[in-house]
Amino acid sequence: MSFHTPVRVSARREGQLVRLLQGAMVGILAIGIWQGNAGIAVNASVGLLVTFLPAFFERNYHITMNVGIVLWITVAMFLHAFGTLSLPELGFLSLYKSTWWWDHITHALSSSLIAGVAYAVTRALEEHTEYIVMPPKFMFVYLLLFVMAFGVIWELIEFYVAVVSNFLGIGKVLTQYGLDDTILDLFYNTIGGVLVAIFGTAHLTNLSDQLRVRMESENR
């Protein structure tokens, strides 16, 4: 009887995948500009900028994220940008419109990033000062509440961006599909927060330690 060993992706391969996805987002941005589609262009450009934040923090603040975290960020941004892509002449419609579960996946991934940021910053503050104490169970609840609150704020942003876009006649940059969709978005946001609270915190410890060291150096 033979057993298959789990496939492990090297840091080098992960880095190559990050660059490949960034290149794909550049292509999506170019298509959006070529079509004059503000929704595609804006979402691709913002997503691309977010993928370069790890390099920005490393260069300017000496905070290094491991390549796995960078890949996590890049995949989330790519899936969102790719979901907005539409090529009607080729019969390819936006996955947000043609695939019912796409929006759920991207919301869960995006909210997991928010939960990760909340955990890293909060743990760094906890280690930095004696005035903040976060027992594991309380941290779990805190992350869920933080993600849920951010999700509500994001839904409001989507609504008002859609209103402004329609008013200016530039097409939809962010889209809401009704109350039922909003409730599902919040549900999948919570799932993303739960996954990070259960499985992701161990992978963020090094990042939070770097943030703590940075805080301490700023106070000297």
Side-chain angles (χ1 to χ4, degrees), residues 103-104 155 159 176-187:
D103 188 45
H104 306 329
E155 293 299 321
F159 174 77
Q176 280 193 323
Y177 298 100
L179 181 60
D180 290 344
D181 179 72
T182 297
I183 293 173
L184 282 174
D185 287 346
L186 295 175
F187 172 73

Side-chain angles (χ1 to χ4, degrees), residues 85-106:
L85 181 63
S86 180
L87 297 169
E89 61 276 10
L90 300 178
F92 183 82
L93 300 178
S94 164
L95 290 172
Y96 277 115
K97 296 179 180 179
S98 63
T99 307
W100 66 269
W101 47 263
W102 193 266
D103 188 45
H104 306 329
I105 293 295
T106 55

Side-chain angles (χ1 to χ4, degrees), residues 33-219:
I33 294 173
W34 174 65
Q35 291 181 340
N37 189 313
I40 296 174
V42 170
N43 284 287
S45 58
V46 171
L48 190 61
L49 286 175
V50 171
T51 66
F52 285 106
L53 285 179
F56 171 81
F57 284 115
E58 181 174 6
R59 183 175 61 254
N60 294 280
Y61 300 101
H62 307 292
I63 294 173
T64 304
M65 302 181 196
N66 68 55
V67 69
I69 294 178
V70 177
L71 180 59
W72 175 19
I73 295 170
T74 306
V75 168
M77 295 300 102
F78 169 76
L79 291 180
H80 173 63
F82 187 66
T84 66
L85 181 63
S86 180
L87 297 169
E89 61 276 10
L90 300 178
F92 183 82
L93 300 178
S94 164
L95 290 172
Y96 277 115
K97 296 179 180 179
S98 63
T99 307
W100 66 269
W101 47 263
W102 193 266
D103 188 45
H104 306 329
I105 293 295
T106 55
H107 267 275
L109 266 175
S110 298
S111 63
S112 71
L113 291 179
I114 300 301
V117 171
Y119 172 79
V121 174
T122 303
R123 186 180 179 279
L125 288 170
E126 182 185 15
E127 296 291 327
H128 177 65
T129 176
E130 60 183 13
Y131 300 108
I132 298 177
V133 179
M134 287 278 193
K137 290 183 179 179
F138 186 82
M139 177 67 82
F140 182 89
V141 174
Y142 163 76
L143 289 178
L144 292 187
L145 292 177
F146 188 93
V147 167
M148 292 172 67
F150 188 89
V152 171
I153 294 172
W154 180 254
E155 293 299 321
L156 291 173
I157 291 173
E158 281 189 342
F159 174 77
Y160 286 111
V161 167
V163 170
V164 172
S165 297
N166 288 333
F167 178 77
L168 296 177
I170 60 174
K172 294 181 178 180
V173 177
L174 296 173
T175 305
Q176 280 193 323
Y177 298 100
L179 181 60
D180 290 344
D181 179 72
T182 297
I183 293 173
L184 282 174
D185 287 346
L186 295 175
F187 172 73
Y188 283 95
N189 287 346
T190 305
I191 289 179
V194 169
L195 291 175
V196 170
I198 295 176
F199 303 109
T201 53
H203 302 285
L204 296 164
T205 300
N206 179 261
L207 177 58
S208 63
D209 287 341
Q210 292 184 67
L211 289 173
R212 173 185 56 80
V213 171
R214 180 71 187 182
M215 292 175 187
E216 293 174 350
S217 65
E218 291 291 336
N219 292 335

